[in-house]
Amino acid sequence: MMKKRSISASKASLVLFLCQMISALDVPLDLSQPPTITQQSPKDYIVDPRENIVIQCEAKGKPPPSFSWTRNGTHFDIDKDAQVTMKPNSGTLVVNIMNGGKAEAYEGVYQCTARNERGAAISNNIVIRPSRSPLWTKEKLEPNHVREGDSLVLHCRPPVGLPPPIIFWMDNAFQRLPQSERVSQGLNGDLYFSNVQPEDTREDYICYARFNHTQTIQQKQPISVKVFSMDSLNDTIAANLSDTDIYGAKPVTERQPILLTPTGSTSTKVELRGNVLLLECIAAGLPTPVIRWIKEGGELPANRTFFENFKKTLKITDVSEADSGNYKCIARNILGSAHHVISVTVKAAPYWITAPRNLVLSPGEDGTLICRANGNPKPNISWLANGVPISIAPEDPSRKVDGDTIIFSHVQERSSAVYQCNASNEYGYLLANAFVNVLAEPPRILTPANKLYQVIADSPALLDCAYFGSPKPEIEWFRGVKGSILRGSEYIFHDNGTLEIPVAQKDSTGTYTCVARNELGKIQNEVQLEVKDPTMIIKQPEYKVIQRYGQVSFECIIKHDTTLLPTIIWLKDNGELPDDERFLVGKDNLTIMNVTDKDDGTYTCIVNTTLDSVSASAVLTVVARPNPPFDLELTGQLERSVELSWIPGDENNSPITSFVIEYEDGLHEPGVWHYQTEVPGTQTTVQLKLSPYVNYSFRVIAVNEIGRSQPSEPSEQYLTKSANPDENPSNVQGIGSEPDNLVITWESLKGFQSNGPGLQYKVSWRQKDVDDEWTSVIVANVSKYIVSGTPTFVPYEIKVQALNDLGYAPEPSEVIGHSGEDLPMVAPGNVQVHVINSTLAKVHWDPVPLKTVRGHLQGYKVYYWKVQSLSRRSRRHVEKKILTFRGNKTFGMLPGLEPYSSYKLNVRVVNGKGEGPASPDKVFKTPEGVPSSPSFLKITNPTLDSLTLEWGLPTHPNGILTSYILKFQPINNTHELGPLVEIRIPANESSLILKNLNYSTRYKFYFNAQTSVGSGSQITEEAVTIMDEVQPLYPRIRNVTTAAAETYANISWEYEGPDHANFYVEYGVAGTMASRQVDIATQGWFIGLMCAVALLILILLIVCFIRRNKGGKYPVKEKEDAHADPEIQPMKEDDGTFGEYSDAEDHKPLKKGSRTPSDRTVKKEDSDDSLVDYGEGVNGQFNEDGSFIGQYSGKKEKEPAEGNESSEAPSPVNAMNSFV
C-alpha cells in the first residue's frame, strides 16, 4: 500500500488571500479612523479565585482611543478602587486578588468602550464568575446489601461547582475501578451495575470530583457493597429456622432488561447547534443486556456518530437542526428487550449569515452596512451608534435604518462613526462593531516594492497589491515595467488587488506591475515572480513485509529545484519516529534494525522546501509465527471420540494456515506428545477419534507461513474406558536361531493399543503340511517366544493374538516361518574353468540338491588365489579372494586376474547359517599379457652430443620380455616436436648411451617393454644436451697494493673467480705478525652453504626411501589398455560376461611447460582396477536373479619381491591420493 500527497505553498497562500479580502480596505494607521476592538475576554469568563483577574480589552484607532468600563450596566470608576488598574495604552483591567482582594466581590457583567473623535466601539458583555469547588455535604451512607444478580446504582451526587467537576470512581489505593458492559459510570457520575456478582463485594467504592480550574479533587465517603450469593443466603436462613420450617431463597434467576436511566419509555433533550449531543441508556438485566441505537425515520449521521461507555452513550458531534428527531435505544438479552425513545430538539443561538464590515467612503459617496444572522428561534436585530441605541443617537441625515441594513447616502466627514449590530435570542447573542470612515485620500499601495514571489510550476501564483484610497482605487496589472495590460482567462483579478495566475509556468517568471488610480491620483508598484521546478519523489517507499527481528529499509529518493533546499522528515503513523537507536535515518532512506511488532504501521517520507511539500507513504507489516492457541475445551465426550475446541492466538500479520493437534497419553507415556491430526486454519473445532484405556490430554499448535507457534497449554485430561484389543501384533516372524529351535518374534502393541490393563499375547504354531494340532501358549507383554526341539529347517504356521483383562483381539492372520538352519552338507560338483583372456576367466559348477542346503539358499562363493607367476618361479604368500553369486546361479566371472600366472579355485554353497564344504581345488593358468611400464627411466651424464639412459624392469612383466622400444624426438623453443626416432633394445639390457645428438637441445623420450603379446604402457622423460664444455674456474687474487696513513691503511687487489666470495685480510705491526680474521661460522655464505647441503641430503634420503618401499596394485587396466586384446570384447548379460572398461592414459607428447623431476626419474602409476563390477565380498549382497554385485574381498598380504621385480615405492601421486 502506498499513499502520496502534495501540498503547495501557493495553495496555502489562497487561504491568506481570503483573509486579505476581509480586510482589503483596512485603513492605514497613519490616517484618521474610528476605534476597532482587536482583543477582548470571552463572554463567559470563569476565573481562578486565587489569582489576579485580567479582563482584556484592546483596540486600535487614529487618534488612539481612550477606554472606559461599565459594570452591571453602570459606569465602573476604576480610580475609586485601589485593587483595579488599567494597563497603559490599553483598556485591559487587572484586579489584584493576590494582595487582599476577593474574587467574589468582582463578580458581574463588564463591558469595555474604546472612543476617539471619530466614534466609539464596545466589547461583548463579559460575565466574570470565580470558579467554585465546594466540599461534599456530610451524609450518612448505609452499606448496600444486594442479592447476587440484582441491579445496583451507587449515587455520586457531587457538589455543584463552577464549572461542573469531572467525576470518576476509585478505591482506597487510588486505582480506578474496572468498568465493563455490566458495570459502568453514567453521565451524571453515578455507578450502575446491570447485575451484581460476588466479586463486586468491597467497602471502598469512592466517588471523586475533580475541579480543573482550581486543580482540586474532592472525595466522597467510601460506599460499602455486600453481595450475598444464593448458597450463603440459604445457609443464613437455615441457621435461623427450625427443621420444620420451609425455607430457601430462590436461586439466581435470569431477568429480561429494564432501563435504569433514563426512566420511562420516552424523554426529551434539547441541544444547541454546533454542540456535542450525548444520549445515554443504561439497563439492568441478567445476562447483561447489550445496547443498540437507531434513529427513527432516518440514519445516524455518518462520520459524526460515536459510541462510548460500551455503547451505552450515543455521541453526535457538531449537531445541526437536521439532527433533530427521535432516537431509540434498545437493551436486549436472551430473555427479551426494553427500549426508550429520546426526542431531540436542536435549537440555535444566533450565528452570522452576514456580519457588518467596516466601510470607508469618500465625501459624497453612498454605502450600506448589512447585519444578517440566523438562529432558532430567529434572533432579533438591533443597531447601536457609538455604543448608544440608534434610536436615541444623534441624528445623521446621511443614514437610514432598514431592519438589518443601514443605508448611507452622500456621506460627509461628520458621518464617521462606529455602529454595533446586536443579534439575540433566548440562547445567546452576537455583537459586531463596524465603522463608517469618511476620508478623501489618493491611492497608496501597501505591498512593498519589488517584493519577490516564488511559486512551484503548475500551481497558482498570487501576486499581492494591497492598496488603500478613498474613493476606492481601480487596480490594473501589467507584465513588465512598460508591458501591455493583463487581460484574459489565464488571469484572475481579485477585489483586494491580488493578481492570480491559476497555473504558473516557467515562462511566467518576470516582473509584474500593479497600478492603482482614483480621482485623486495614481500610483504603481513592481513585484517579481520566480517559478521553480516542483519537488518530486522519484523513488517512493514500498510496501514491505518483514519477519520479526529482521531488518528493513524504505527509500525516498527525490528530485528538486536546485535553488531550493529540501529537508526530509520520516513519520510513523503520522507521528514522530520512535526515539530508538534501531531507527537509522539516512540521506535518502530509513532503516529499521531488529524489527519488532510495535514497528508495524505506515511510514511516511515528507519532503519540505520553502515553497512545496510532497510525501509518500508505505506500510510495514511485521510478521512472525502465530501466538499459541488458548482456552482449549473438550466437549461431547464419548467412548471413542471427543470434540476439541480452542481460540486462536494472534496470527501476527500472517494468516494461520493450519492447526496441528497433538495428544499425550498420561497413563502409558506421560510427557511424550504424539501427532493426532491437522485441520485448516479456519477451523477451531475438531472431532477426534480416541482409543480405549488412554488418559488423553490435547494441545494445539498454530502454523502460518513463518512457522509453528509454541504449543498451547494442555487441555483437561480425559480417560477413556477399557475394551478388548482392536488389533494384533504386527511383523510376526518365525526364524530359528539354532538348528533345533523356532524363534517367534513380533512387534508389541503400544500402550494405547492395549485398550485395557493386563495386556498378554497368545502364541500359536504348528508344522506346515503336517496334520498337527495348533500348539498355543500365553505369554506376558513381551515380543519373543522360542520353541525348542524342532526339526532342522522345516516350515511352520504361526499366529500371535493379543488379549487383555477384558478379552481377546480379533482372530490373527497366519504367517509362515522356518525352524533353524544348519550348515550345508555337500559341495558343488563338476567345477569347470574357461579362461577367456589373460585377466578374465569363467567358472561353472553344478548346483547342490536343495535338501542338502538345510536352510535358505543364499548363493555360492568362489574362492580363488594366485599360486605363482609363470615368469618368476619363486612363490609368494597366498592372497585368497572371494566372489559371491546370489541365488541358484551356476556360473560366474573371475575378473582382475594377473596374466601369465597359475591360479587355484574352489566353490562353496552358502545359506543363512554359513558356508558348506569346499569343492576340490581346480587349477587354471592365464596366458601372457602386455607388460606394465618400466619401473623407472633415468637420464644421466649429459654431454654435447650424448645422453645416458638407465631403466628398471616392469613391475609386472605379465609374460616373457622380448625387447624394449625407445622412441625420442627433439623439442624446440616453441615446444614443437621434431621427427620421431625409434630404437629396439634387447630385453636383457638395462642402460643405453645415445650418441650423435644435437648440442643444447631438449629431447623427449618414450620408453616401453614388449612381450610376445604386444607392447606395454610407456614411460616418458625429457633431457637436455649441454651447450659447451668449460673448464672449472678457481678463485685467484693478484696485484695486491697498499697505501698507509697514520691511523688506517687502504688495501686493494684484483680477483678472478666465482661470485659471492668472502675475503680475509691478515695484517700486523712490523717485526711481529698478528693475524686477524673473521670467524667462518658467522659468515652468511657459510651458513647458506651448510643449509643447501642439509637440504640436498634430505632430498636424497626421501628418494632412497621411496625407491626402497615402492609397491602397488596389480596394473590390470594398464595391461588391458596396452594390449587392446581382441579377445576382450563387450559381452552380453545373458551369458554372464561383461563389457570392457577403459581409462586410457594420455600418450600425447609432453605439452608446453612440462618439466621433469629433479632426479630425472619417472615413477609409474599404480592400477586402480578392482573387481567392483564382477562380484562382492564375504558380506556382499545378491541380486534377485542370482547375479553378483559389490566387489571381491579377501585379505591381501604383501608379496615378497620375485625375480627381477622392482622394489620401488608407489607413484608419489598415488601415495598422496591414499591420504585423501
Side-chain angles (χ1 to χ4, degrees):
M1 178 190 299
M2 185 167 58
K3 301 178 181 177
K4 182 179 179 182
R5 68 175 187 267
S6 177
I7 305 171
S8 171
S10 298
K11 291 181 181 178
S13 62
L14 284 171
V15 179
L16 176 62
F17 151 69
L18 294 175
C19 297
Q20 288 175 337
M21 287 189 65
I22 297 174
S23 57
L25 291 182
D26 280 353
V27 180
L29 286 177
D30 62 334
L31 299 178
S32 296
Q33 56 183 290
T36 300
I37 300 291
T38 58
Q39 192 174 0
Q40 56 184 317
S41 293
K43 294 179 181 179
D44 191 7
Y45 189 16
I46 299 175
V47 299
D48 190 335
R50 300 167 299 181
E51 297 180 355
N52 292 343
I53 302 173
V54 179
I55 311 175
Q56 291 184 327
C57 180
E58 304 290 341
K60 66 177 182 177
K62 182 70 173 184
S66 60
F67 297 90
S68 62
W69 285 86
T70 63
R71 177 181 172 186
N72 297 327
T74 60
H75 177 66
F76 182 31
D77 192 346
I78 299 170
D79 296 334
K80 292 183 179 180
D81 192 333
Q83 301 295 332
V84 180
T85 58
M86 183 182 296
K87 290 184 178 181
N89 303 317
S90 167
T92 297
L93 297 181
V94 178
V95 181
N96 195 334
I97 301 299
M98 302 180 69
N99 286 335
K102 292 185 177 181
E104 293 79 4
Y106 295 92
E107 189 171 354
V109 179
Y110 293 79
Q111 189 172 44
C112 169
T113 300
R115 186 185 308 275
N116 68 9
E117 61 188 28
R118 290 202 165 230
I122 60 175
S123 70
N124 294 320
N125 286 328
I126 302 171
V127 179
I128 302 295
R129 294 185 295 171
S131 64
R132 299 182 181 88
S133 53
L135 298 176
W136 241 290
T137 57
K138 295 291 185 180
E139 58 180 325
K140 185 178 181 181
L141 299 177
E142 297 293 337
N144 292 273
H145 298 279
V146 194
R147 186 175 63 174
E148 180 183 356
D150 287 354
S151 61
L152 174 65
V153 180
L154 299 183
H155 297 288
C156 181
R157 299 190 185 96
V160 178
L162 186 67
I166 297 172
I167 305 300
F168 52 94
W169 289 80
M170 301 178 74
D171 59 16
N172 274 333
F174 298 101
Q175 300 297 315
R176 285 187 178 269
L177 295 175
Q179 299 190 23
S180 63
E181 290 184 343
R182 186 177 63 84
V183 182
S184 60
Q185 177 183 316
L187 294 175
N188 62 355
D190 293 346
L191 191 63
Y192 292 86
F193 296 77
S194 295
N195 53 79
V196 294
Q197 302 295 328
E199 59 265 25
D200 296 328
T201 297
R202 62 191 307 154
E203 297 181 351
D204 57 349
Y205 286 93
I206 306 174
C207 181
Y208 288 86
R210 183 174 69 222
F211 298 90
N212 283 343
H213 263 70
T214 57
Q215 296 295 311
T216 57
I217 296 178
Q218 302 290 350
Q219 173 185 334
K220 187 182 179 75
Q221 290 181 332
I223 302 175
S224 174
V225 174
K226 175 68 174 176
V227 179
F228 291 98
S229 66
M230 291 303 98
D231 292 338
S232 62
L233 190 57
N234 283 335
D235 293 342
T236 303
I237 296 174
N240 290 280
L241 295 177
S242 65
D243 294 340
T244 59
D245 291 328
I246 299 175
Y247 67 92
K250 295 181 181 180
V252 177
T253 57
E254 295 181 337
R255 301 188 312 281
Q256 68 180 27
I258 59 171
L259 289 172
L260 297 175
T261 183
T263 58
S265 59
T266 61
S267 60
T268 60
K269 172 79 172 181
V270 176
E271 191 56 76
L272 292 182
R273 179 180 183 270
N275 287 354
V276 176
L277 173 65
L278 295 174
L279 304 179
E280 179 182 58
C281 276
I282 301 177
L286 186 66
T288 302
V290 176
I291 306 295
R292 185 168 67 92
W293 291 89
I294 61 173
K295 182 180 182 183
E296 294 183 343
E299 298 291 334
L300 295 174
N303 303 322
R304 296 188 292 116
T305 301
F306 305 93
F307 297 101
E308 297 179 345
N309 198 20
F310 309 98
K311 292 191 175 181
K312 299 175 186 179
T313 301
L314 172 65
K315 176 180 177 181
I316 301 177
T317 60
D318 192 23
V319 294
S320 63
E321 288 84 345
D323 295 320
S324 297
N326 293 331
Y327 292 81
K328 179 187 286 187
C329 69
I330 303 169
R332 187 183 302 276
N333 66 10
I334 58 176
L335 299 181
S337 63
H339 69 270
H340 184 93
V341 176
I342 305 174
S343 179
V344 175
T345 302
V346 178
K347 297 292 186 178
Y351 56 92
W352 290 118
I353 296 176
T354 304
R357 298 175 57 192
N358 293 336
L359 195 60
V360 178
L361 301 174
S362 63
E365 279 192 315
D366 302 333
T368 58
L369 288 179
I370 301 174
C371 177
R372 290 177 184 162
N374 201 358
N376 187 7
K378 189 172 182 62
N380 177 50
I381 303 295
S382 61
W383 288 96
L384 296 88
N386 296 325
V388 178
I390 201 167
S391 58
I392 60 174
E395 287 288 338
D396 183 352
S398 64
R399 76 174 179 236
K400 176 183 178 182
V401 178
D402 185 7
D404 58 6
T405 304
I406 301 178
I407 303 171
F408 295 91
S409 304
H410 299 92
V411 295
Q412 300 300 320
E413 188 173 349
R414 66 177 179 272
S415 300
S416 297
V418 182
Y419 293 87
Q420 291 82 33
C421 173
N422 186 302
S424 61
N425 65 12
E426 59 187 281
Y427 297 108
Y429 74 93
L430 293 174
L431 178 69
N433 290 276
F435 62 68
V436 175
N437 195 15
V438 180
L439 294 172
E441 285 291 328
R444 61 171 69 181
I445 294 178
L446 307 178
T447 301
N450 291 311
K451 183 176 181 179
L452 176 62
Y453 292 89
Q454 295 178 326
V455 298
I456 295 297
D458 298 324
S459 62
L462 297 168
L463 308 183
D464 190 20
C465 184
Y467 65 92
F468 182 79
S470 185
K472 181 180 178 181
E474 294 180 356
I475 303 297
E476 293 178 326
W477 281 91
F478 298 85
R479 179 74 184 269
V481 179
K482 298 182 179 180
S484 58
I485 189 171
L486 297 180
R487 293 189 178 90
S489 59
E490 64 268 29
Y491 302 104
I492 299 175
F493 303 96
H494 293 284
D495 289 342
N496 66 345
T498 297
L499 169 66
E500 179 181 353
I501 306 174
V503 183
Q505 301 295 332
K506 293 286 284 186
D507 58 4
S508 302
T509 298
T511 301
Y512 291 81
T513 302
C514 165
V515 178
R517 59 166 59 89
N518 67 8
E519 60 190 34
L520 300 178
K522 167 187 171 184
I523 193 172
Q524 70 179 38
N525 186 42
E526 296 172 4
V527 295
Q528 308 296 324
L529 174 63
E530 289 183 358
V531 181
K532 307 288 187 180
D533 290 325
T535 304
M536 295 184 293
I537 300 177
I538 58 177
K539 186 162 187 182
Q540 303 174 356
E542 298 177 345
Y543 173 71
K544 295 291 180 68
V545 177
I546 189 70
Q547 289 191 33
R548 187 185 296 164
Y549 309 126
Q551 176 179 326
V552 66
S553 291
F554 292 106
E555 288 188 295
C556 185
I557 300 177
I558 64 172
K559 179 182 178 182
H560 61 92
D561 192 287
T562 56
T563 62
L564 300 177
L565 183 62
T567 58
I568 299 179
I569 301 173
W570 287 92
L571 303 179
K572 179 182 184 296
D573 297 329
N574 295 323
E576 292 184 358
L577 289 178
D579 185 13
D580 192 327
E581 61 184 8
R582 297 181 301 108
F583 287 76
L584 306 177
V585 178
K587 177 183 177 183
D588 51 14
N589 62 70
L590 168 67
T591 301
I592 308 174
M593 313 287 289
N594 197 22
V595 173
T596 64
D597 291 339
K598 65 182 180 181
D599 299 330
D600 197 276
T602 300
Y603 289 84
T604 304
C605 163
I606 300 178
V607 185
N608 293 317
T609 68
T610 54
L611 299 181
D612 64 350
S613 176
V614 292
S615 65
S617 299
V619 173
L620 172 62
T621 301
V622 181
V623 296
R625 296 184 300 170
N627 292 349
F630 57 94
D631 282 356
L632 273 64
E633 183 179 7
L634 296 178
T635 56
Q637 290 93 336
L638 300 175
E639 290 185 1
R640 293 295 183 104
S641 68
V642 70
E643 184 174 87
L644 173 66
S645 60
W646 61 89
I647 298 176
D650 192 337
E651 63 185 19
N652 290 325
N653 295 322
S654 180
I656 295 175
T657 56
S658 63
F659 292 100
V660 176
I661 293 89
E662 297 180 340
Y663 72 91
E664 175 196 28
D665 182 1
L667 193 61
H668 303 97
E669 294 181 290
V672 179
W673 289 90
H674 302 276
Y675 172 84
Q676 172 88 8
T677 188
E678 187 168 352
V679 298
T682 56
Q683 189 172 328
T684 57
T685 61
V686 63
Q687 194 77 19
L688 301 174
K689 293 182 179 180
L690 307 179
S691 296
Y693 195 54
V694 177
N695 193 12
Y696 282 101
S697 289
F698 299 97
R699 68 184 187 184
V700 183
I701 299 171
V703 182
N704 63 9
E705 289 186 358
I706 310 305
R708 295 161 64 101
S709 72
Q710 292 294 321
S712 67
E713 292 296 322
S715 70
E716 59 182 300
Q717 291 187 330
Y718 176 47
L719 177 63
T720 55
K721 295 181 178 180
S722 302
N724 292 6
D726 293 326
E727 52 190 311
N728 286 301
S730 59
N731 197 22
V732 177
Q733 294 181 344
I735 301 173
S737 61
E738 298 295 337
D740 60 349
N741 75 4
L742 172 66
V743 180
I744 302 173
T745 60
W746 59 90
E747 287 188 12
S748 301
L749 299 181
K750 298 186 181 301
F752 70 90
Q753 294 175 309
S754 66
N755 286 5
L759 177 64
Q760 293 178 302
Y761 300 101
K762 179 182 178 182
V763 184
S764 304
W765 68 92
R766 68 180 178 184
Q767 191 171 335
K768 191 175 183 298
D769 300 329
V770 177
D771 192 13
D772 281 350
E773 296 294 329
W774 287 94
T775 302
S776 300
V777 64
I778 294 179
V779 299
N781 187 10
V782 295
S783 60
K784 181 172 71 172
Y785 182 76
I786 301 176
V787 181
S788 301
T790 62
T792 300
F793 196 66
V794 295
Y796 278 86
E797 294 175 322
I798 303 167
K799 58 184 180 180
V800 181
Q801 185 178 23
L803 67 151
N804 62 18
D805 291 350
L806 279 76
Y808 285 87
E811 186 66 23
S813 58
E814 301 170 7
V815 298
I816 303 299
H818 288 80
S819 58
E821 299 180 73
D822 206 346
L823 293 176
M825 299 173 62
V826 300
N830 193 24
V831 177
Q832 301 293 328
V833 179
H834 171 60
V835 178
I836 298 174
N837 57 38
S838 61
T839 62
L840 180 66
K842 184 175 183 181
V843 59
H844 293 263
W845 61 88
D846 290 340
V848 300
L850 289 179
K851 289 185 178 181
T852 67
V853 176
R854 299 200 296 179
H856 295 285
L857 176 63
Q858 294 188 356
Y860 293 87
K861 285 186 178 180
V862 178
Y863 285 73
Y864 65 101
W865 61 96
K866 180 180 175 181
V867 178
Q868 67 176 15
S869 172
L870 298 179
S871 61
R872 313 171 203 162
R873 294 305 174 185
S874 60
R875 290 181 173 273
R876 65 177 184 177
H877 188 76
V878 174
E879 177 188 341
K880 287 188 176 182
K881 298 179 181 177
I882 306 171
L883 285 179
T884 305
F885 302 91
R886 294 190 76 179
N888 198 21
K889 197 167 185 180
T890 60
F891 67 91
M893 308 298 294
L894 304 181
L897 303 176
E898 295 185 13
Y900 204 52
S901 300
S902 176
Y903 280 88
K904 287 184 179 181
L905 65 77
N906 60 50
V907 184
R908 310 176 193 192
V909 66
V910 182
N911 66 10
K913 187 71 171 178
E915 301 174 2
S919 65
D921 290 348
K922 188 74 175 180
V923 178
F924 66 97
K925 297 179 180 179
T926 56
E928 283 191 81
V930 296
S932 63
S933 61
S935 57
F936 68 90
L937 174 62
K938 184 164 60 176
I939 303 174
T940 60
N941 299 327
T943 66
L944 288 172
D945 61 351
S946 68
L947 293 169
T948 300
L949 280 66
E950 297 177 0
W951 60 86
L953 287 170
T955 307
H956 300 285
N958 295 339
I960 299 174
L961 296 180
T962 59
S963 63
Y964 293 100
I965 301 298
L966 173 65
K967 299 177 183 179
F968 63 94
Q969 58 190 148
I971 307 174
N972 63 17
N973 292 335
T974 60
H975 298 280
E976 294 177 352
L977 298 174
L980 187 65
V981 178
E982 181 176 327
I983 300 176
R984 184 177 296 272
I985 304 171
N988 59 352
E989 297 290 340
S990 62
S991 65
L992 174 68
I993 298 176
L994 281 178
K995 298 182 178 181
N996 299 322
L997 302 176
N998 297 329
Y999 73 92
S1000 186
T1001 301
R1002 178 176 292 276
Y1003 288 89
K1004 184 166 187 179
F1005 298 90
Y1006 312 90
F1007 192 70
N1008 61 291
Q1010 282 189 332
T1011 64
S1012 60
V1013 176
S1015 299
S1017 56
Q1018 63 186 12
I1019 188 170
T1020 63
E1021 176 60 289
E1022 292 183 17
V1024 182
T1025 57
I1026 64 176
M1027 179 180 295
D1028 192 9
E1029 294 188 17
V1030 181
Q1031 294 298 323
L1033 181 63
Y1034 297 98
R1036 184 174 65 176
I1037 297 176
R1038 60 180 182 174
N1039 297 333
V1040 178
T1041 60
T1042 61
E1046 287 187 11
T1047 59
Y1048 66 91
N1050 187 10
I1051 305 172
S1052 60
W1053 61 86
E1054 294 180 2
Y1055 166 73
E1056 294 179 357
D1059 294 337
H1060 309 297
N1062 291 285
F1063 300 96
Y1064 304 93
V1065 177
E1066 292 184 354
Y1067 64 93
V1069 181
T1072 65
M1073 186 61 187
S1075 66
R1076 185 174 187 180
Q1077 65 183 37
V1078 180
D1079 185 3
I1080 189 172
T1082 63
Q1083 297 303 299
W1085 67 270
F1086 181 79
I1087 296 174
L1089 178 62
M1090 291 299 101
C1091 291
V1093 171
L1095 179 60
L1096 182 59
I1097 293 172
L1098 178 61
I1099 292 172
L1100 291 175
L1101 289 174
I1102 292 173
V1103 170
C1104 292
F1105 177 83
I1106 292 174
R1107 292 174 61 86
R1108 179 172 297 278
N1109 293 280
K1110 184 172 180 64
K1113 299 179 182 178
Y1114 192 74
V1116 176
K1117 186 176 83 59
E1118 290 182 357
K1119 294 184 179 181
E1120 290 178 352
D1121 291 345
H1123 272 273
D1125 192 335
E1127 294 181 2
I1128 306 177
Q1129 298 297 331
M1131 300 181 183
K1132 297 183 179 178
E1133 191 175 4
D1134 54 4
D1135 62 359
T1137 61
F1138 57 94
E1140 179 186 4
Y1141 63 90
S1142 172
D1143 187 13
E1145 292 181 351
D1146 183 9
H1147 295 291
K1148 297 178 182 178
L1150 189 66
K1151 293 185 180 179
K1152 182 177 181 178
S1154 62
R1155 294 292 184 267
T1156 59
S1158 60
D1159 62 356
R1160 300 198 175 275
T1161 63
V1162 176
K1163 311 293 189 301
K1164 68 178 186 64
E1165 293 188 356
D1166 295 339
S1167 168
D1168 291 332
D1169 287 353
S1170 69
L1171 302 185
V1172 167
D1173 298 328
Y1174 304 102
E1176 58 187 352
V1178 174
N1179 298 321
Q1181 299 296 322
F1182 290 92
N1183 290 330
E1184 292 181 358
D1185 61 356
S1187 62
F1188 57 86
I1189 60 175
Q1191 73 179 43
Y1192 67 92
S1193 65
K1195 293 185 178 179
K1196 296 185 178 181
E1197 301 180 12
K1198 185 175 179 181
E1199 300 178 2
E1202 297 185 67
N1204 295 324
E1205 287 187 28
S1206 170
S1207 61
E1208 287 182 317
S1211 161
V1213 175
N1214 285 343
M1216 289 304 296
N1217 287 340
S1218 67
F1219 290 98
V1220 176

